[in-house]
Amino acid sequence: MTVRIAVAGASGYAGGELLRLLLGHPDVEIGALTAGGNAGTPLLAHQPHLLPLADRILGETTAENLAGHDVVFLALPHGHSAEIAARLGEDTLVIDCGADHRLTDEAAWTRWYGGAHAGSWPYGLPELPGQRDVLTTARRIAVPGCYPTVSSLALAPAIHLVEPEVTVVAVSGTSGAGKSLKPNLLGSEVMGSLSAYGVGGAHRHTPEITQNLSKVAGRDVKVSFTPVLAPLPRGILATCSATLTGDDDVRAVYEKAYADEPFVHLLPEGHWPTTGAVLGSNAVQLQVTVDPDLNRLVVVAAVDNLAKGTAGAAVQCMNLALGLPETTGLSTVGVAP
Amino acid sequence: MTVRIAVAGASGYAGGELLRLLLGHPDVEIGALTAGGNAGTPLLAHQPHLLPLADRILGETTAENLAGHDVVFLALPHGHSAEIAARLGEDTLVIDCGADHRLTDEAAWTRWYGGAHAGSWPYGLPELPGQRDVLTTARRIAVPGCYPTVSSLALAPAIHLVEPEVTVVAVSGTSGAGKSLKPNLLGSEVMGSLSAYGVGGAHRHTPEITQNLSKVAGRDVKVSFTPVLAPLPRGILATCSATLTGDDDVRAVYEKAYADEPFVHLLPEGHWPTTGAVLGSNAVQLQVTVDPDLNRLVVVAAVDNLAKGTAGAAVQCMNLALGLPETTGLSTVGVAP
Amino acid sequence: MTVRIAVAGASGYAGGELLRLLLGHPDVEIGALTAGGNAGTPLLAHQPHLLPLADRILGETTAENLAGHDVVFLALPHGHSAEIAARLGEDTLVIDCGADHRLTDEAAWTRWYGGAHAGSWPYGLPELPGQRDVLTTARRIAVPGCYPTVSSLALAPAIHLVEPEVTVVAVSGTSGAGKSLKPNLLGSEVMGSLSAYGVGGAHRHTPEITQNLSKVAGRDVKVSFTPVLAPLPRGILATCSATLTGDDDVRAVYEKAYADEPFVHLLPEGHWPTTGAVLGSNAVQLQVTVDPDLNRLVVVAAVDNLAKGTAGAAVQCMNLALGLPETTGLSTVGVAP
Amino acid sequence: MTVRIAVAGASGYAGGELLRLLLGHPDVEIGALTAGGNAGTPLLAHQPHLLPLADRILGETTAENLAGHDVVFLALPHGHSAEIAARLGEDTLVIDCGADHRLTDEAAWTRWYGGAHAGSWPYGLPELPGQRDVLTTARRIAVPGCYPTVSSLALAPAIHLVEPEVTVVAVSGTSGAGKSLKPNLLGSEVMGSLSAYGVGGAHRHTPEITQNLSKVAGRDVKVSFTPVLAPLPRGILATCSATLTGDDDVRAVYEKAYADEPFVHLLPEGHWPTTGAVLGSNAVQLQVTVDPDLNRLVVVAAVDNLAKGTAGAAVQCMNLALGLPETTGLSTVGVAP
């Protein structure tokens, strides 16, 4: 089987990572590549690492250009996916790397993003309880945000064992902010500096983490989420903690939860996750401990924000939805050092 | 007045930063420079940025070599300060950048460091309530650890307004680990990667933060502390949070607390601290907010771990103890970008 | 004596570095700060490291706003200095950090920059033979480009001992490119990558290096110049080489040339320059050797592009032109690590 | 066909990269992994990115442990390969990533490395004229050094068109120095700094570049080589130049030379190589130009020092020697940003 795919937003970081992964996928043929302002220019100008596609000229992101493919990946600014998706055939597998279809609660969408709520699609985090089955039959999939991916995987297995108020401080590389031409993202500003942003529940990934953990817990969970920007291109390291209500063997809980997951790895005791170890891979590395003085669960998780945090998850979801082996074209081997 | 100073541990990072600052201090004459294994080599081999001292040959770290100075700065591995200090005159101002004399509780010392407790010295964080006065008459001063400095300054003003359980996730540059030849501190390992260490209350700065906040609060405060290592040489960005017990105007509380402090700056609303802005300076930049969904105080603070986090604090304490203007030789201007 | 200064272009990197240095200059009072598009905003928004000036509101860069100061520093895009300078009093010391008045040859200006040639001003590199005297009476000074500074100082002492064709490959941090919002300057692009630009004599600093070396040599010197962009905010490391025509003791030549220079340091044999050692300082570190197989002189030089490479040189020139000690407000101590 | 391979030196950077690539090679089964001081420890402790091999315990690097494999990769400190290789069967394919068998001239070996010359093996740079054929029948292969690879590929096509004296300044990431515990390789020292080393013909890769270019040119070529260390883990960007003797269309020369090479890419005019674009890949990106003022050829080339610069070349050579398609298990797609 060869699947013909299109990527909308091919000049950005998510689009570039999708193409990097899809170039190594044995069952995929790469069709239309489209962009917004970069339409009409060759891919080489934006993705010099994708040599096999260097000469491809980017088309405009229109439903016409994206039609006629088995799978369409949308890597667009938020607010742009719904209209395009509505004009693609119902049997086309549409995988949205943007935020438009992640939140189920219209009020949450309005509060955090504003504008009309496009509705929600099946959520592309197969490692959440019951979610893999949902994805095997989906034809519309909302890929999770990078912070929600790592935070949800870090806390979901124990969310019923803790007080329903969790703290997440996640340090991220800069590619998560996209190729935006903002002064604070310039290399000169980023290198040698750390900064916080979206503090105090102001980051749009907060409601998504809340949604995931509340759904798994079966009750309202409150999330204190702070993202920190650090000088590296890729990678998120999340420190997640919550007060335990009992004295469960949390390590055993995590071992059981992820025993059969191909991409989520609980490290042996004494080893701690690093983002360098998962760079370019679809792996999530976890370690858990309990602070004895506070009886507080602390989980540290590392992920590549562009891979498992975005494009890798998208390919994983494509595999599931197409009935391919879930790991096809994906790796658990990072590029280090 | 010219003060004659000596630095023990002059080949390390704390020693180098002390010398950098002291070279710009108008009232200081730099005397003996000593080291352990590097004794007998020129300073240039270890501190190529200190050109005016390039030809100085490092002496052995002995009480004899350090005697005869007005001020002796100790920048030694923990466990080495007490013996040296005991052999220096009582009227010599001894400022210990190491951990030996920070903890007041012998049990805490034994649990976290092991070995004999050397006793505690006046704690060199003048911004804590009542602490400045203590330092003006001190002849032995324990400089705080870098994480305790930033965490304590971030939380002290509001510690009586929150539940006595706080969470600190502090991201640090690598110089905090010193010039240790460990594989995980190699540039190839550090760059492009984030890692956690000392998770779950396992870092030795935990009892020091706990001691500071409990003392200010007048009751036991529990601290969940996680340090994260990021790819930059200098800087700590700490995200500190705790659940508020009331609806106080926390911004006003912080404004009042630090109104007269020369080095602690609450940024205007809408501006967030970055470590790049305080690089090389003695400034601490703070911002505070309240997450409305959890009524949780979130404070973000940035500091240069080698400056205000270590050597700058040491010079500030020297100024206080010698009756010099507190800010002499110190700056609030960072080196950026 | 207190000198009242103004800075045009205060929101950029050169402007910020000027202010950082001038805040530590004992004889300076900081007057008007102006900008282009950023006029009307507080300095804090652009230079968060300059806390003592945080509340200053940037004015428009006009001759009116800059008038009435003893010294006006221009840190403007090229082509903007001449008109402003013409409207400032002849007794005002105007120091241009831009390129407008560096090239003496109109044809060179036209070829490399285009547009009208504004004429040339006394060239602000006092370490070149005879140049210090010129600057003591100047009221208009053209600060050298960063690459020409380091390359000229590296090669000038031996330029009469080599074939008149030199090779310079200079690796630079990103701040040399200014705060330009270009995709290739984004942190995500810069970190973890090296790139060349302006190769094959295409960089505008080529004619300036050529002008300097030819003037010192007293004959035409040809320069093969390649700049490389590396992932650090500040610093240039230049590798400069040329074939020796004889067997002179080049080390002795350099020792003699720079024996009395306060900022240029020939390192002892066996030590090689690093940019980290000069960060934030006005120092230039040099090392020289001869490749025996080619009888080729190789000089490696390190400089902070924003300090001695731009703003430090500007302050040094101001000191000279005002009759102040040349080193006032400047340091040879870097901020490391 | 499944090839059983062993890796000696599996805990180092070259060994780790070999394993990363071999894990993705469809025809390879990974056998013995050995080490020196790290023997007896699990691979996870040294290569946390190689999750599928995490539990493997490293054996001692002995001929016994390496025997019984079809291919043995040696990634050892120099001087250690010859003895091991002599004890492996003649039909075993032995691929040495170290320097021991690269130099054909015993005098050069003695001058640059010292000790007994182990003799030379077929040189593993198939893109050099005639070299691919040599490798298809080889059972002992010397993988080139990283700098010689990029420099030789940059200059070989035009080496008969230039004066026989070339200049190479190559900027490298830190992994080229290996996992050595040296102070100057610590993250704190490396980040934010540039340094030169092995200047003036003092680097051991100089004779190897000289050997390659002289062989291709058919006459003695002299090489001025300077390596520069920059703050990134991986990547070399080499700027190579030489004076043209005529007015040949050098672009056409390079186009022709590399038209059929799967891994060497001459970029379209106007695009310049970046190391980020080749990270993790076996690609070499080149651009050529002529400086009109000096009639000097300038070639800029980018390579991943661990991939095409070491381990990728080793796998490429293995493919050739085993009769596999040369590109099996290798990619021209980099991991960016």
Side-chain angles (χ1 to χ4, degrees), chain B residues 38-257:
Chain B
N38 293 322
T41 62
L43 192 66
L44 177 64
H46 312 286
Q47 313 283 13
H49 60 300
L50 303 178
L51 282 180
L53 301 171
D55 298 335
R56 288 287 197 93
I57 304 296
L58 296 169
E60 290 254 7
T61 297
T62 62
E64 288 68 31
N65 284 336
L66 298 169
H69 296 81
D70 301 305
V71 186
V72 174
F73 292 96
L74 302 177
L76 303 171
H78 78 84
H80 288 64
S81 298
E83 190 188 335
I84 293 274
R87 300 182 55 197
L88 296 171
E90 288 189 7
D91 54 343
T92 304
L93 176 56
V94 182
I95 299 181
D96 187 2
C97 295
D100 291 21
H101 304 92
R102 294 176 191 155
L103 296 183
T104 54
D105 179 20
E106 182 168 355
W109 174 267
T110 305
R111 172 178 169 195
W112 295 91
Y113 291 89
H117 186 218
S120 69
W121 288 355
Y123 190 73
L125 194 51
E127 294 86 356
L128 288 188
Q131 198 62 17
R132 184 167 277 115
D133 289 345
V134 173
L135 294 167
T136 55
T137 57
R139 279 302 165 269
R140 295 289 186 272
I141 297 176
V143 176
C146 50
Y147 292 121
T149 294
V150 65
S151 308
S152 302
L153 294 175
L155 286 170
I159 198 65
H160 56 293
L161 305 177
V162 298
E163 301 284 354
E165 184 169 317
V166 305
T167 299
V168 175
V169 178
V171 190
S172 176
T174 53
S175 61
K179 236 183 238 187
S180 323
L181 294 180
K182 296 178 184 167
N184 70 313
L185 295 177
L186 286 175
S188 300
E189 304 289 320
V190 165
M191 294 184 289
S193 193
L194 299 161
S195 55
Y197 66 107
V199 184
H203 193 283
R204 284 166 167 169
H205 283 179
T206 305
E208 193 180 336
I209 305 171
T210 303
Q211 173 178 295
N212 291 347
L213 294 178
S214 296
K215 185 176 175 191
V216 175
R219 58 174 173 168
D220 280 353
V221 174
K222 291 189 175 178
V223 178
S224 167
F225 171 55
T226 307
V228 174
L229 197 68
L232 71 170
R234 286 181 182 231
I236 296 178
L237 189 90
T239 300
C240 311
S241 66
T243 301
L244 287 160
T245 50
D247 61 352
D248 301 85
D249 178 352
V250 290
R251 185 168 181 87
V253 169
Y254 277 81
E255 280 174 351
K256 188 175 168 197

Side-chain angles (χ1 to χ4, degrees), chain B residues 13 174-175 180 185-189, chain D residues 13 174-175 185-189:
Chain B
Y13 289 145
T174 53
S175 61
S180 323
L185 295 177
L186 286 175
S188 300
E189 304 289 320
Chain D
Y13 290 146
T174 53
S175 61
L185 296 177
L186 285 176
S188 299
E189 303 289 321

Side-chain angles (χ1 to χ4, degrees), chain D residues 157-158 160-162 243-254 288-290 295 297:
Chain D
H160 56 293
L161 305 177
V162 297
T243 301
L244 286 160
T245 50
D247 61 352
D248 301 86
D249 178 352
V250 292
R251 185 168 179 87
V253 169
Y254 277 81
V288 299
T289 192
V290 176
N295 195 34
L297 172 73

Side-chain angles (χ1 to χ4, degrees), chain C residues 272 289-293, chain D residues 111-112 197-207 223 225-227:
Chain C
W272 287 91
T289 193
V290 177
D291 186 329
D293 289 347
Chain D
R111 174 178 169 197
W112 295 91
Y197 67 105
V199 183
H203 193 284
R204 284 168 167 168
H205 283 179
T206 305
V223 178
F225 171 56
T226 307

